[in-house]
Each structure stands twice: as C-alpha cells, then as structure tokens.
Amino acid sequence: MKNSKIGRNDPCPCGSGKKYKTCCLGLEGLVDRNEKPFMRYSQLISTIKVKLDQQYKSQIKKMRKSLQERFLRLSTTNYLPQEQESILSDWLWFDMTDSEGMTFGSEYLAQNGAYIEEPLRNCLQSLNSSYLSLYQPIGMNGDSLLVKDFITGEDSLIMLKEPLDAEISEDKPLLLGRLVALPLGNVFSGMVLMMKNEDGQGEYISQHINYLRELKNEEDITVSLKNYGEILFGLYDRANRKALLPLNDIRVLFTEEDSPDLITTLEDSEVFSLVHETDGIRWYDLQNSSGNARLGIHSSYLVSYADIVGDVIRMKNWLSNLIPQRNWQIVNSLLLFQPPAPELDHIWYTVIKDQETERWLHTQHRELDEKTPLEILEEENGRERLYVMLDSFASQASGNEYSGDLINYMRSRIK
C-alpha cells in the first residue's frame, strides 16, 4: 500500500484523528539526505517518539504512575529525575508488553508501517528491537565511540554528534543506554547515564543479570535485557549508590539419602559452622558471608537461603560440588516478584521463622533495657525473662496461627 492512495483530507491511518495532510503526510521528505547520519537518525528517532506520544498519550497517562512504580521498584528511590524520563519512556514504548506480547512500538508499526516512509519505518523497527544495556567505552574512531557491552561482551561503534574532547580514562566508566542499530551505524536513543567502575560496579550488575537468567531459564542474555530493562535500571542505580540488593534467595532439595553424609562433611568444613538445631533442622552459617546466608538440613530435604548475590553464588557452587546433578527448586527470590508456589509454602515459612528469630535475637529491645535477647540469655534468669517477653507477644497475637507458630519457634531457640 502506498501513501498516494490516501487522500490529503482523509483521516490519517495512524489513528491520530487528524487529516492525513496535517499528520503523517508531513513526514514525507522529512529527512535531509545531506545531513550527517547522526543528525539524520536523531531526527528520525525524535519523530517516531512524537508520533508514539501522540498515539498513546491518553493510555499511558492512565497507567503512568503504576508503571513508573514498577520501573523503579528496585531503585533506591521512587523519584525519577526529569532528565531520566526518556529512559522510562523508551521502556514504556519499546519493552513493556501487553497480554499478547505487543509493545506500543510494535503495535504502531503493525498498524501504520505501510503508510510511513521507509527510513522512518526502518528506524521504528530498530527501536522495537533495541534494549537497555551496560556499555564500557574503549576508544574513539573518528566521530564514533567504540564501546564494549559489559554484559554480552559485544563491541559496537556508536555515532556521536561530535568527537569527544577528553580521552577515555583508564578506569573506563560504565554507560547505561539503549543502542539503536541502524543501516549507517549505531546511535543511543535518549538519555545515557554514566558512572565510575572503580569498585566492582560492573561486576555487581553482571552477576545479578546472570542470576536473573538462571531464575528465568533464559539462555539468550539479550532476551533478559529486553524483558527486564527495569531490573537493569534498578541494578545500575544500586551499583552507583553502592547499595546492596537483598534477594532473599531460598532453594530446596528434597532428598532422604545425603543428609547424614552431608552433616559429617559440614562438621569438618571451614566453609560452614553449626548455629543451632531446632524443630528437626540443623542450621549452618556460611562463613565470611556478606549478609544472611544459611544452610538447613532436615531428614527429608535441604534448604538454603542467602540475601547477597555473591553468597548465592558461593552457596550454589559449594553445594553443586558436594551434591552434583541435583535439581534444587527455587522457593523464593526478590527478582521473581511473585509468592512461592503453594506446594513450597511450608519451606518458605520455615526459612522465615528462622530469619525472624535471628533478627529478634540480635535486636535491642526497650523491654530488655536496650539489650538483645542474646545478651539477656547470658544473664542470671535471662531465659525466664525472655519467656515473659514471648508470653506478652503471644497474648497480643492471640488467634493468629502464624504469629503463634513463630513465637513457639522462638521459645524453642532459647531452650
């Protein structure tokens, strides 16, 4: 279908409600062929975004608050600076899918691709295929910046408006941006964020992306980047602010064969140390962990939990060497953004009881003269004093099955 078949006064097929002559007809001849490729592509990208904003403005307006909360759910703040709005908009248009797997960009292309000029159509196709990623500058090549994708390892040349005056520093900063691959070269779409990579920030982000791929069983890393741009944005923010992400990774292996041998191995291990045995589970701490990391051994299953990605990796590698070729099930992870499967609820609650009890034992309480329960246990009649405290908790939680169970668990821990 050609544009000539549409009358100048006919409604524009893009759905804007305007006449064709005052809408998409104006895109014909828009691009100056004599412009440098960077300027030409910048103009095309800007035009596409204006059209998408016109087409979907009312729809996005209704959803924007909730979608922005989703986009920032891993960030250290729920505030998005105005200069970063383009990163959110690109995610809304080109990454966020509906129930049929369509983005606003792919829907617009399907409905209007036949009516717009080929350069604009090709640019929209490239935007639809683009994804947010992490890049490390390597050097300059004329007006182009040579970068390495820190996550995929691929090298690319990015066209710039003009050469960089400054040399690429030795510490090679990290760039968060959306690369758009076009016939005459690559450009970044919208805002590009930059931070130093002086304290392992890049490795921190890369570890979490690989962890996410494992959770989602995705072999193609670019699929993860395309599907979870908001997670990458949150990881970038946390890496930049040096704020750890508590994953609360919980895994279980149902077995009745390895427990005795594993206990013997753990007793002789310098990697784990026994903390306590309560309700039929022997709990071992992962030594030199960055956060909460623990392994529990029950007669019918093994359960592990860890907050920090480095501890998750250490735990997984150690257990894989000790018990190879076993199918550990993921019970919980922050990056799944969903509750555990019903059949694994009891495992999840077992871990929660242990975590909450540990938190209680190590927290100062006003009722205990700003001492921790562990400190009170060292005093004369300290255990009895803690029983009184737990009795008070129980009376307040009367009728709540889960709270009652947790309090009973706390009682068992201080016997």
Side-chain angles (χ1 to χ4, degrees), residues 203-212 235 245 247 309 335:
E203 183 63 23
Y204 172 88
I205 295 172
S206 181
Q207 282 185 337
H208 281 85
I209 293 297
N210 287 326
Y211 169 79
L212 178 64
L235 292 172
L245 182 67
L247 294 170
V309 68
L335 297 191

Side-chain angles (χ1 to χ4, degrees), residues 76-145:
T76 57
T77 175
N78 59 4
Y79 168 74
L80 186 69
Q82 187 174 1
E83 63 269 18
Q84 297 179 16
E85 283 285 337
S86 65
I87 299 178
L88 170 62
S89 296
D90 280 356
W91 175 75
L92 290 174
W93 289 327
F94 308 119
D95 293 347
M96 192 197 67
T97 57
D98 60 17
S99 59
E100 297 179 357
M102 294 282 285
T103 65
F104 287 122
S106 60
E107 180 183 277
Y108 188 89
L109 180 64
Q111 294 176 353
N112 308 297
Y115 305 106
I116 57 180
E117 284 190 305
E118 184 177 357
L120 203 64
R121 183 169 61 251
N122 291 341
C123 187
L124 179 53
Q125 288 172 334
S126 295
L127 282 164
N128 286 338
S129 301
S130 68
Y131 50 83
L132 199 63
S133 195
L134 192 68
Y135 298 94
Q136 192 166 55
I138 299 174
M140 290 295 300
N141 185 350
D143 289 354
S144 296
L145 177 67

Side-chain angles (χ1 to χ4, degrees), residues 251-303:
R251 305 177 184 222
V252 65
L253 173 65
F254 291 99
T255 176
E256 296 181 358
E257 302 174 359
D258 302 301
S259 296
D261 292 339
L262 184 56
I263 289 174
T264 301
T265 302
L266 289 174
E267 296 295 340
D268 298 330
S269 170
E270 296 181 357
V271 179
F272 290 88
S273 61
L274 179 65
V275 184
H276 67 92
E277 182 171 2
T278 307
D279 286 1
I281 302 179
R282 294 172 67 89
W283 288 103
Y284 295 83
D285 268 346
L286 178 66
Q287 296 298 294
N288 302 315
S289 59
S290 301
N292 295 323
R294 190 165 283 187
L295 175 67
I297 303 180
H298 187 270
S299 60
S300 59
Y301 62 81
L302 310 178
V303 59

Side-chain angles (χ1 to χ4, degrees), residues 181 185 211 225 227 237 242-243 317 344 346 365 374 394 402 410:
Y211 169 79
L225 293 171
N227 291 340
D237 174 70
K242 298 182 181 180
N317 290 341
L344 298 176
H346 66 291
H365 297 271
L374 285 179
Y402 294 107
M410 290 175 171

Side-chain angles (χ1 to χ4, degrees), residues 137-400:
I138 299 174
M140 290 295 300
N141 185 350
D143 289 354
S144 296
L145 177 67
L146 177 61
V147 299
K148 178 182 287 292
D149 189 312
F150 199 90
I151 297 175
T152 68
E154 295 181 0
D155 292 347
S156 299
L157 277 173
I158 311 294
M159 291 189 294
L160 303 177
K161 186 176 182 179
E162 55 190 21
L164 291 176
D165 292 333
E167 294 184 1
I168 305 300
S169 59
E170 291 185 3
D171 59 359
K172 292 185 174 60
L174 296 172
L175 307 177
L176 182 71
R178 180 178 294 267
L179 185 151
V180 185
L182 294 161
L184 298 180
N186 306 311
V187 295
F188 278 127
S189 170
M191 181 72 178
V192 177
L193 304 182
M194 182 174 69
M195 72 173 169
K196 293 181 179 180
N197 186 27
E198 59 188 0
D199 197 24
Q201 286 90 339
E203 183 63 23
Y204 172 88
I205 295 172
S206 181
Q207 282 185 337
H208 281 85
I209 293 297
N210 287 326
Y211 169 79
L212 178 64
R213 288 174 62 201
E214 180 205 350
L215 289 180
K216 300 292 185 177
N217 293 316
E218 290 175 347
E219 295 184 5
D220 187 346
I221 197 166
T222 61
V223 173
S224 296
L225 293 171
K226 181 67 174 175
N227 291 340
Y228 311 110
E230 75 278 22
I231 292 179
L232 177 58
F233 182 85
L235 292 172
Y236 181 93
D237 174 70
R238 285 183 171 272
N240 191 30
R241 299 175 185 272
K242 298 182 181 180
L244 295 175
L245 182 67
L247 294 170
N248 197 22
D249 180 280
I250 303 174
R251 305 177 184 222
V252 65
L253 173 65
F254 291 99
T255 176
E256 296 181 358
E257 302 174 359
D258 302 301
S259 296
D261 292 339
L262 184 56
I263 289 174
T264 301
T265 302
L266 289 174
E267 296 295 340
D268 298 330
S269 170
E270 296 181 357
V271 179
F272 290 88
S273 61
L274 179 65
V275 184
H276 67 92
E277 182 171 2
T278 307
D279 286 1
I281 302 179
R282 294 172 67 89
W283 288 103
Y284 295 83
D285 268 346
L286 178 66
Q287 296 298 294
N288 302 315
S289 59
S290 301
N292 295 323
R294 190 165 283 187
L295 175 67
I297 303 180
H298 187 270
S299 60
S300 59
Y301 62 81
L302 310 178
V303 59
S304 71
Y305 67 81
D307 274 340
I308 308 305
V309 68
D311 293 338
V312 175
I313 295 171
R314 284 182 61 206
M315 184 86 76
K316 176 186 173 186
N317 290 341
W318 192 88
L319 292 172
S320 295
N321 290 330
L322 188 64
I323 314 174
Q325 300 177 341
R326 293 300 182 90
N327 184 27
W328 285 78
Q329 297 182 58
I330 304 294
V331 178
N332 184 77
S333 171
L334 174 68
L335 297 191
L336 289 177
F337 301 108
Q338 62 187 30
E343 64 272 17
L344 298 176
D345 267 350
H346 66 291
I347 300 296
W348 175 83
Y349 189 57
T350 294
V351 170
I352 294 301
K353 286 192 297 185
D354 191 63
Q355 291 175 332
E356 290 298 318
T357 300
E358 286 300 314
R359 187 176 294 113
W360 172 69
L361 286 170
H362 289 85
T363 300
Q364 294 177 337
H365 297 271
R366 184 178 57 186
E367 303 94 319
L368 302 177
D369 303 321
E370 302 301 332
K371 295 180 180 180
T372 69
L374 285 179
E375 291 173 328
I376 295 298
L377 280 174
E378 300 297 322
E379 299 178 357
E380 185 178 356
N381 299 320
R383 184 171 286 102
E384 287 72 19
R385 188 176 176 185
L386 292 180
Y387 285 151
V388 171
M389 183 182 190
L390 292 176
D391 286 341
S392 176
F393 289 168
S395 64
Q396 296 174 29
S398 179
N400 187 314

